[in-house]
Amino acid sequence: MDYSRRLDKLAQLIRESTKTLALTGAGVSTESGIPDFRSKEKGLWNRFDPEEVASIGALERDPAEFYRNNLKWWELCLQAQPNEAHRSLAQLERKGWLLGVITQNIDGLHQKAGSKRVWEVHGHLRTCRCMKCKKTDQMDRLKESYHCAACGGLLRPSVVLFGDSMSNDYYNAEKVMSGCQLLLVVGSSLQVYPVAGLPYMARQVVIINRQPTPWDSQARLVINQSAGLVLSDLVEILGDEKGPYYEC
Ligand code: NAD
């Protein structure tokens, strides 16, 4: 099937669905200049194993090294601007096609693009918190010190590190997935569990990803193209039509 027929199929599936959600991964933000983890050209991550560098064990073992390794890419996330994929998802929500976005990303770009209902299952970069007294502080604090201003304890970012338990947003995402008819999986290699298990809760799954994923054989539709292109084309096809969640 060629690209335009796949796009028509995507529009048809979204029109037929009464409950559509998106699940996004690092691939939705590569067009904003943030490297993902598992593309062939891994950029920032060529030299590191993310499961080691971004782990709770690494933070506890050597905080100085942990922050040296991570602050640079967090700063990249914080400086980045939304791209066509983020804007299109926000537009789909505004027009009532999408209930919301479940994202594995910590970069906050869905909210920057205007998405209102976002479940950040791996946390975010807006704040950090003390591992001893639990007080939260602004992320900027970490540029000065990784010790808590109140008690001197070790600060950690409000992201879910490898080895952490899952966030409240993850459990809320599981709840919102109940009865999901159509899940658009955008820019995720679907290799990080438990998030990679969420597609099992949807009646139908569409994969929008540059490379194959382990889910492709079970998906209703696979589009191996860039997220920005596919989602902006989808918005164009749907035009002024309104979806089931449209609020006047
Ligand atoms: P991943 O790196 O494992 O997979 C990304 C997938 O997106 C790849 O299969 C790649 O082919 C595809 N891709 C890349 N650019 C694309 C584009 N423009 N359009 C369509 N597809 C594209 O990412 P993951 O599955 O999200 O897992 C990595 C974990 O690392 C996530 O859980 C996330 O928390 C974290 N992470 C976050 C960010 C961020 O916040 N921006 C960046 C890197 C990693």
Side-chain angles (χ1 to χ4, degrees):
M1 215 196 288
D2 66 14
Y3 173 63
S4 72
R5 288 189 50 205
R6 282 176 203 267
L7 206 56
D8 288 342
K9 183 76 197 164
L10 173 58
Q12 181 200 335
L13 289 172
I14 205 166
R15 283 185 183 113
E16 287 169 359
S17 164
T18 53
K19 184 169 182 179
T20 304
L21 283 147
L23 169 62
T24 65
V28 85
S29 295
T30 55
E31 291 167 77
S32 293
I34 305 172
D36 61 11
F37 279 176
R38 293 181 187 81
S39 276
K40 277 185 195 136
E41 310 82 27
K42 284 191 284 182
L44 200 61
W45 299 104
N46 276 334
R47 289 160 293 142
F48 308 116
D49 172 4
E51 299 194 16
E52 171 50 31
V53 169
S55 73
I56 185 71
L59 171 61
E60 285 170 344
R61 227 174 7 258
D62 189 344
E65 172 83 355
F66 173 87
Y67 282 110
R68 220 178 4 261
N69 287 334
N70 285 290
L71 275 171
K72 199 168 135 198
W73 91 269
W74 292 339
E75 194 55 30
L76 192 68
C77 289
L78 289 167
Q79 297 305 325
Q81 294 305 316
N83 64 53
E84 211 47 57
H86 301 106
R87 284 193 290 274
S88 301
L89 288 169
Q91 183 84 326
L92 290 172
E93 183 186 327
R94 257 195 308 281
K95 294 207 168 153
W97 294 110
L98 205 61
L99 175 54
V101 179
I102 300 168
T103 187
Q104 300 168 78
N105 296 344
I106 56 173
D107 54 35
L109 290 179
H110 289 299
Q111 291 93 329
K112 263 195 197 172
S115 286
K116 300 283 181 240
R117 289 183 292 264
V118 182
W119 293 270
E120 296 172 306
V121 294
H122 287 165
H124 58 80
L125 291 172
R126 291 183 289 280
T127 56
C128 57
R129 66 174 186 274
C130 176
M131 289 171 72
K132 200 164 146 201
C133 73
K134 314 292 178 210
K135 191 175 174 294
T136 58
D137 207 333
Q138 291 309 302
M139 195 67 184
D140 271 353
R141 165 81 188 165
L142 289 173
K143 288 186 198 161
E144 297 157 29
S145 165
Y146 49 80
H147 292 295
C148 172
C151 78
L154 184 59
L155 291 174
R156 57 155 300 157
S158 301
V159 302
V160 177
L161 299 170
F162 288 97
D164 272 335
S165 48
M166 289 307 284
S167 63
N168 285 341
D169 266 25
Y170 173 75
Y171 295 105
N172 290 331
E174 272 193 345
K175 283 187 201 141
V176 82
M177 278 294 299
S178 165
C180 173
Q181 296 206 340
L182 181 64
L183 183 68
L184 312 180
V185 181
V186 188
S188 177
S189 63
L190 290 174
Q191 287 184 36
V192 180
Y193 279 84
V195 179
L198 289 176
Y200 287 107
M201 297 182 71
R203 196 165 71 83
Q204 300 193 99
V205 172
V206 172
I207 305 277
I208 300 167
N209 209 68
R210 277 187 185 150
Q211 291 168 7
T213 78
W215 245 90
D216 290 4
S217 59
Q218 296 165 76
R220 184 77 171 82
L221 179 69
V222 177
I223 308 185
N224 290 134
Q225 287 281 356
S226 95
L229 173 78
V230 178
L231 293 171
S232 56
D233 283 347
L234 175 64
V235 166
E236 201 180 311
I237 289 188
L238 294 171
D240 285 334
E241 287 177 62
K242 304 289 189 290
Y245 289 101
Y246 183 69
E247 291 160 14
C248 309

